[in-house]
């Protein structure tokens, strides 16, 4: 059991200080689903930055540059692959012909070993089941709705994937695991967490709680994309029931 969290600050109305407070509130609230490791990914001057450690989120004190548009984060409860080996922790870096991406996964995959063989994926020291999702996208050479759908249809198990592309585009692919996504339109801000309970805890006493927001529903078997301008679009894939 892990947790994902993050934000899309597409109007850049949220200051560096407020982003830091919000990120750390989301991260610490997400500890209820995992304290073995934690990390975030964001884009700085066109380059993917990943900061992760095998420690609880409350010890990380996350901070990002003031011009950051999208942050995706993760708190980990270890099921496969030692958290002490930091390369086993989320977010994971991936590469396509177009650039780099960062992937986080909440859930457990049960056919990663099988896919490594049947898809002829390269050997890797990374032991975490989630990493097969990175490799499946890399194999296709592109990161878009179609490649994410194909990956999501091949994996077996429980999942929500968040995937940040280095042009500041965020994808969320939902299997049967929960996710809560809120849109504060007046602030030009999306925030997300694994559950409504985590979101409620993170926003308790925060000034954001005074603003109006829309809850964005994401259905099982759906992929959403949010670009750097805050535009949201949707696609679908066939969710395996095994």
């Amino acid at each position: 059991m892990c947790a994902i969290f993050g934000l899309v600050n597409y109007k850049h109305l949220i200051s560096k200080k407020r982003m830091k407070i919000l990120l750390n509130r989301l991260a610490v609230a997400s500890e209820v689903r995992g304290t073995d490791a934690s990390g975030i990914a964001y884009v700085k001057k066109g380059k993917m930055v990943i900061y992760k450690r095998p420690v609880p989120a409350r010890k990380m004190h996350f901070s990002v540059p003031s011009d950051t548009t999208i942050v995706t984060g993760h708190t980990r409860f270890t099921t496969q692959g030692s958290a002490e080996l930091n390369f086993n922790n989320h977010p994971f870096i991936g590469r396509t012909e177009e650039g780099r991406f960062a992937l986080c996964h909440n859930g457990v995959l049960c056919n990663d070993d099988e896919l490594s063989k049947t898809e002829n994926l390269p050997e890797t020291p990374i032991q975490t089941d989630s990493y097969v999702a990175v490799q499946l996208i890399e194999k296709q050479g592109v990161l878009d709705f179609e490649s994410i759908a194909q990956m999501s249809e091949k994996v077996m198990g429980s999942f929500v994937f968040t995937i940040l592309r280095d042009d500041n585009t965020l994808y969320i692919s939902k299997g049967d695991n929960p996710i809560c996504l809120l849109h504060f339109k007046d602030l030009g801000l999306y925030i997300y967490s694994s559950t409504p309970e985590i979101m409620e805890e993170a926003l308790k006493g925060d000034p954001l709680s005074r603003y109006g927001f829309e809850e964005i529903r994401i259905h099982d078997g759906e992929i959403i994309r949010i670009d750097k301008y805050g535009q949201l679009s949707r696609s679908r894939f066939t969710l395996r029931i095994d």
Side-chain angles (χ1 to χ4, degrees), residues 203-220:
L203 294 183
K204 188 182 299 182
D206 189 279
L208 271 182
S209 61
R210 300 198 298 264
Y211 290 86
F213 62 84
E214 175 190 6
E215 182 175 357
I216 307 296
R217 299 287 185 180
I218 309 176
H219 301 287
D220 293 359

Side-chain angles (χ1 to χ4, degrees), residues 3 40 64 74 86 101 187 192 197 204 206 213 231 233:
I40 60 171
V64 295
H74 188 273
N86 199 40
F101 64 91
L187 297 175
Y192 66 87
E197 292 78 13
K204 188 182 299 182
D206 189 279
F213 62 84
Q231 295 298 311
S233 51

Side-chain angles (χ1 to χ4, degrees), residues 119-134:
E119 296 291 327
N120 195 29
L121 301 177
E123 292 187 8
T124 173
I126 298 173
Q127 303 158 328
T128 313
D129 55 312
S130 312
Y131 189 66
V132 73
V134 175

Side-chain angles (χ1 to χ4, degrees), residues 133-147:
V134 175
Q135 292 185 300
L136 288 171
I137 292 172
E138 288 182 326
K139 182 179 179 181
Q140 297 179 75
V142 64
L143 176 59
D144 57 16
F145 274 136
E146 183 177 352
S147 63

Side-chain angles (χ1 to χ4, degrees), residues 88-102:
N88 284 326
N89 297 322
H90 309 234
F92 296 106
I93 190 73
R95 297 167 180 82
T96 68
E97 297 170 1
E98 300 170 325
R100 298 192 175 194
F101 64 91

Side-chain angles (χ1 to χ4, degrees), residues 158-220:
S158 59
F159 65 85
V160 171
F161 295 108
T162 58
I163 309 166
L164 173 60
R165 201 167 60 189
D166 62 8
D167 65 347
N168 270 310
T169 302
L170 177 70
Y171 291 89
I172 301 175
S173 177
K174 186 182 185 309
D176 58 358
N177 267 17
I179 186 166
C180 175
L181 174 65
L182 305 184
H183 184 201
F184 295 81
K185 187 175 182 180
D186 291 343
L187 297 175
L189 177 71
Y190 293 91
I191 57 176
Y192 66 87
S193 63
S194 282
T195 67
E197 292 78 13
I198 290 173
M199 185 69 74
E200 182 178 356
E201 179 65 24
L203 294 183
K204 188 182 299 182
D206 189 279
L208 271 182
S209 61
R210 300 198 298 264
Y211 290 86
F213 62 84
E214 175 190 6
E215 182 175 357
I216 307 296
R217 299 287 185 180
I218 309 176
H219 301 287
D220 293 359

Side-chain angles (χ1 to χ4, degrees), residues 8 10 169-170 190 224-233:
V8 182
Y10 64 90
T169 302
L170 177 70
Y190 293 91
I224 69 162
R225 178 179 63 202
I226 304 174
D227 68 16
K228 61 184 177 182
Y229 305 110
Q231 295 298 311
L232 187 150
S233 51

